[in-house]
Amino acid sequence: MTNDRRPLILMSPALLWLFGLMVVPCLLILALAFFRRGLYGGIEYTWTLENIALVFDPLYFKIFMKSAGIAGLAAGIASVLGYAAAYAIASMPRRHQPMLLFFAVLPFWSNYLVRTYAWIVLLNREGLIVNLARWFGFEGEMPKLLYTESAVVIGLVYNYLPFVILSCYAPLSRLNPEIAEASRDLGASGWKTFRRITLPMTVPGIATGFVFVFVLSIGNFVTPALLGGGQFQMIGNLVYAQFLTANDWPFGAALSMVLILVMLGLLMLQAVVTERASGGKKQIDG
Amino acid sequence: MTRPLLSLQNVKKCFGTIAAVDGVTLDIHENEFFALLGASGSGKTTLLRMLAGFEDLTAGDILLEGTSIANIPPNRRPVNLMFQTYALFPHMTVAQNIAYGLEMDKLPKAQIKTHVDEILQVIQLAHLAKRKPDQLSGGQRQRVALARALVKRPKVLLLDEPLGALDKKLRGEMQLELKRLQHEFGITFIVVTHDQEEALVMADRVAIMQDGALLQVGTPHEIYEFPETRFAADFIGVMNFLPVKVSRGAAHTSNGTRIATDKPLDLPDGSAAVAAIRPERLHVGIQSDNMLTGEITAIAYHGLDLLLHIMTPLADTPIISRMTADVADHHNPAVGQQITVGWSARDTHIFPA
Ligand SMILES: Nc1ncnc2c1ncn2[C@@H]1O[C@H](COP(=O)(O)OP(=O)(O)OP(=O)(O)O)[C@@H](O)[C@H]1O
Ligand SMILES: [Mg+2]
């Protein structure tokens, strides 16, 4: 019996840490969503659903949807690029793969802000990309690159791409090459084999990567602030503003709550997809 | 004989500097059950993969019904491979796994369903059609892999150690099952195994492979009774080897006794050789062409028969004699006894040492 307790004992420091320093403060903040905002930025402890309702006010809901759109676009692009990169790495000779993976995640080792600032330098009106285009003989008016929605998407994709590469590489590298060969043997072309065998078997990796990028992007406020140049707000910026400038903590809490619920929903969906694809190793009745 | 179905002509495959398959020439006929037998690393899998189209040839050619298939990709060869690991598609049900190959042939849906249902009956897994591979036992998986390859009715079915993962009893059943299916479908089977007994039981012809080359090809009877080399003699079944020396055109044991054999002995005088005799050819209490006396050092009981280990001054290892149960009842052999066994000239093989 003592054996059964060991996992619990080993896990408890981490669980306590998470619970005490993450879950409890989060719940406290979220609880604020149900109270009224005080006159001078304080909290008035009367019960209300106004803040939640305000989230769905067209003005704010539009920002919500826009954030979801940008996050979805970033997650989509990152998934395609990341899967392609992971596929390429996984089809290299085994001994080269660790090094290639290391290079793929190398940007992670530098500071997020520094990386994002680097993109400002690249996308600037007199930045590297514009100059390169000129050097290649591009004449005329350059489209504005920095402080656009595209810049935000580029920044998000760039920052979170390594997540997708890692999450797609895991199932790809675990594929038994004989399974793809069996498909060829049964008459499938290379492309058919990819579509019917390789892709479905590695969908959990893509789903994990997509949800990761989406969840991290939709709540992100650094990249929209720096690369979007305050031209538009994402939901993260809105939350940031409620807590730090508008001093409307209850509304900030309400926004956060809806955001967290969306994220949880997605994470659950992703868990279901993974479970499905792994075949659900239960059920042994006839 | 008619034109062979499959013709391998001096087929060679090198990985870097090692030749995994080294100049194999072989004809395989329609409807034949052919077994490739060899030790681990002898190149059996590589040869099958070349036939299936997964390895290109370093040299030589492969003809199917007279036309070269050496440059045809695996998906367009009328040849199917049952993988050593089965390689079932884990995200598809049993029925979907089996239907896959037919879908690739673009058969109409209704026809696919008929074929799948039919073969599920044949392999007796109709009740598990909706299961995923990881909800099956090893034997069931093996049958699904077989059905998946068989349902395409290829000209040649390649099977890489199809029974490798099964326990002994199931293996025995499946050996007969494989033979029955081969007969029923009328498809040429090439089966790789490193179990010599399995090869003898199942195959019409057996090839022994060593270091990428074919050592001997023949019917199970030929392979067992007339091994051409010492390796083949040793590899198949149990074989006794007595060291001998050639002098005056005959083989002599270390104590000078002449070993009688009816096989031509074309070894020069003075060369070292071995005389090889199967355990079941050694008889007790019968006057024979060759006789040998020794002490019983061990008796291994096998139910049907006994294996006597007889130590003689003629060899470093005991000579093994097989004694059927009724003979044993008559002779009552015991450890420590002196025993004389004899064998006929017909059953004596001589190989260079
Ligand atoms: N892809 C490869 N690269 C390099 N060497 C290989 C490769 N595949 C096989 N070999 C080598 O070729 C030789 C034959 O291998 P093969 O797999 O054909 O043996 P096998 O007879 O099937 O053995 P087993 O009974 O263990 O399955 C071995 O020495 C093996 O190491
Ligand atoms: Mg093998």
Side-chain angles (χ1 to χ4, degrees):
Chain A
M1 281 299 109
T2 46
N3 264 353
D4 295 345
R5 286 211 193 114
R6 224 179 297 171
L8 196 68
I9 293 170
L10 287 173
M11 264 195 309
S12 51
L15 282 179
L16 280 177
W17 177 274
L18 267 179
F19 190 77
L21 298 175
M22 287 270 306
V23 179
V24 170
C26 275
L27 287 177
L28 285 177
I29 295 282
L30 290 181
L32 293 180
F34 298 101
F35 297 113
R36 214 178 280 273
R37 178 193 179 193
L39 216 44
Y40 303 103
I43 314 286
E44 196 181 295
Y45 288 96
T46 38
W47 176 254
T48 177
L49 285 177
E50 269 170 24
N51 299 305
I52 311 281
L54 193 58
V55 174
F56 296 96
D57 178 284
L59 179 68
Y60 296 113
F61 194 65
K62 225 175 71 194
I63 295 180
F64 221 107
M65 291 315 286
K66 178 154 197 147
S67 305
I70 288 179
L73 190 62
I77 296 174
S79 297
V80 173
L81 298 181
Y83 189 85
Y87 189 94
I89 294 175
S91 41
M92 291 290 192
R94 281 261 163 210
R95 65 209 141 91
H96 296 326
Q97 292 182 14
M99 198 184 59
L100 290 167
L101 269 186
F102 173 76
F103 282 127
V105 299
L106 198 60
F108 261 175
W109 298 94
S110 70
N111 180 286
Y112 188 98
L113 269 179
V114 173
R115 274 181 282 155
T116 307
Y117 271 115
W119 274 101
I120 296 184
V121 176
L122 288 175
L123 297 172
N124 226 332
R125 195 171 289 282
E126 287 304 322
L128 195 61
I129 292 177
V130 171
N131 280 325
L132 262 182
R134 293 251 164 76
W135 192 76
F136 277 111
F138 184 86
E139 309 272 334
E141 190 64 14
M142 286 295 291
K144 190 174 174 219
L145 294 176
L146 192 56
Y147 305 137
T148 61
E149 223 173 279
S150 314
V152 177
V153 173
I154 290 174
L156 292 171
V157 168
Y158 164 73
N159 272 309
Y160 297 138
L161 193 58
F163 275 125
V164 188
I165 296 180
L166 286 180
S167 73
C168 291
Y169 173 79
L172 277 167
S173 67
R174 256 184 280 122
L175 277 188
N176 170 3
E178 287 194 345
I179 290 185
E181 283 179 349
S183 162
R184 297 298 306 274
D185 188 65
L186 292 166
S189 63
W191 170 243
K192 263 256 160 66
T193 298
F194 175 75
R195 252 197 39 227
R196 301 248 349 232
I197 308 296
T198 312
L199 190 60
M201 284 182 69
T202 48
V203 143
I206 306 176
T208 306
F210 184 93
V211 169
F212 243 80
V213 178
F214 186 87
V215 163
L216 290 172
S217 295
I218 196 173
N220 191 304
F221 57 90
V222 176
T223 300
L226 292 180
L227 298 181
Q231 297 298 298
F232 65 92
Q233 284 192 305
M234 275 178 65
I235 203 73
N237 307 97
L238 198 58
V239 173
Y240 180 91
Q242 297 315 311
F243 280 104
L244 292 169
T245 51
N247 254 332
D248 189 347
W249 285 35
F251 182 49
L255 283 169
S256 307
M257 187 153 73
V258 174
L259 193 57
I260 287 175
L261 286 178
V262 169
M263 291 173 177
L264 281 179
L266 278 170
L267 287 171
M268 254 141 81
L269 194 72
Q270 179 253 324
V272 170
V273 168
T274 309
E275 171 71 22
R276 279 270 169 76
S278 70
K281 302 196 190 202
K282 288 154 290 172
Q283 181 214 320
I284 281 296
D285 48 323
Chain B
M1 223 177 198
T2 51
R3 183 179 66 182
L5 176 68
L6 194 63
S7 183
L8 284 71
Q9 300 179 343
N10 202 19
V11 167
K12 190 167 175 179
K13 175 74 196 180
C14 298
F15 293 109
T17 54
I18 37 166
V21 171
D22 198 2
V24 168
T25 297
L26 177 67
D27 283 346
I28 292 172
H29 298 278
E30 197 118 10
N31 259 326
E32 200 171 10
F33 197 124
F34 194 90
L36 263 178
L37 186 57
S40 190
S42 56
K44 307 178 298 287
T45 297
T46 307
L47 188 58
L48 277 204
R49 289 175 57 83
M50 289 166 94
L51 293 175
F54 293 118
E55 308 284 356
D56 38 59
L57 283 69
T58 307
D61 203 358
I62 300 173
L63 308 184
L64 183 71
E65 296 179 318
T67 2
S68 172
I69 55 166
N71 293 315
I72 295 181
N75 49 329
R76 283 197 258 120
R77 289 190 189 192
V79 169
N80 283 118
L81 172 61
M82 181 183 157
F83 288 82
Q84 198 164 357
T85 56
Y86 305 154
L88 296 176
F89 307 132
H91 58 301
M92 297 186 191
T93 64
V94 167
Q96 287 167 339
N97 262 282
I98 298 174
Y100 187 84
L102 300 174
E103 284 167 22
M104 294 306 136
D105 289 346
K106 304 215 163 56
L107 254 60
K109 275 226 162 59
Q111 208 173 328
I112 292 179
K113 192 174 164 1
T114 322
H115 284 314
V116 171
D117 289 347
E118 221 172 74
I119 200 136
L120 277 170
Q121 293 296 333
V122 173
I123 59 163
Q124 295 160 20
L125 285 184
H127 59 296
L128 301 180
K130 296 220 160 56
R131 290 253 185 108
K132 295 266 178 77
D134 60 7
Q135 298 164 337
L136 301 177
S137 73
Q140 290 165 342
R141 259 178 245 170
Q142 184 262 335
R143 276 183 282 165
V144 175
L146 180 63
R148 186 177 71 175
L150 207 52
V151 78
K152 293 213 29 155
R153 300 195 178 246
K155 295 223 164 80
V156 182
L157 183 60
L158 312 168
L159 303 98
D160 196 354
E161 310 228 1
L163 310 180
L166 306 183
D167 64 58
K168 197 164 178 206
K169 185 158 181 301
L170 201 53
R171 272 176 96 105
E173 287 168 20
M174 287 309 299
Q175 285 168 7
L176 299 178
E177 177 88 0
L178 272 186
K179 227 177 144 68
R180 180 179 71 81
L181 286 172
Q182 191 258 342
H183 190 75
E184 205 172 301
F185 279 72
I187 292 174
T188 301
F189 274 30
I190 303 180
V191 177
V192 156
T193 172
H194 56 235
D195 180 338
Q196 40 97 11
E197 202 182 313
E198 189 166 289
L200 298 183
V201 168
M202 292 195 296
D204 299 323
R205 274 198 309 157
V206 178
I208 301 176
M209 209 165 168
Q210 188 199 15
D211 296 335
L214 296 187
L215 216 54
Q216 188 175 354
V217 183
T219 64
H221 179 77
E222 285 165 354
I223 293 274
Y224 188 82
E225 298 294 350
F226 308 103
E228 284 167 3
T229 57
R230 181 177 176 172
F231 180 87
D234 198 15
F235 193 71
I236 307 283
V238 182
M239 186 67 97
N240 291 306
F241 291 104
L242 272 183
V244 294
K245 219 175 189 100
V246 180
S247 56
R248 284 160 282 130
H252 296 268
T253 61
S254 56
N255 67 3
T257 316
R258 185 172 178 276
I259 299 283
T261 176
D262 67 347
K263 305 198 170 42
L265 177 75
D266 40 4
L267 292 170
D269 271 8
S271 62
V274 287
I277 315 106
R278 294 272 181 214
E280 66 273 20
R281 300 295 180 186
L282 294 172
H283 302 290
V284 182
I286 299 170
Q287 193 58 41
S288 296
D289 306 337
N290 298 294
M291 304 292 282
L292 171 156
T293 302
E295 182 191 326
I296 301 176
T297 54
I299 299 178
Y301 180 69
H302 284 260
L304 273 181
D305 48 30
L306 304 176
L307 292 184
L308 305 182
H309 291 232
I310 304 165
M311 203 63 206
T312 69
L314 305 179
D316 300 336
T317 50
I319 298 294
I320 295 169
S321 163
R322 184 166 147 183
M323 193 179 252
T324 54
D326 44 351
V327 176
D329 285 347
H330 187 251
H331 283 277
N332 261 323
V335 173
Q337 249 173 28
Q338 289 289 314
I339 191 167
T340 299
V341 290
W343 70 96
S344 106
R346 226 184 40 227
D347 299 323
T348 315
H349 311 269
I350 307 279
F351 301 111

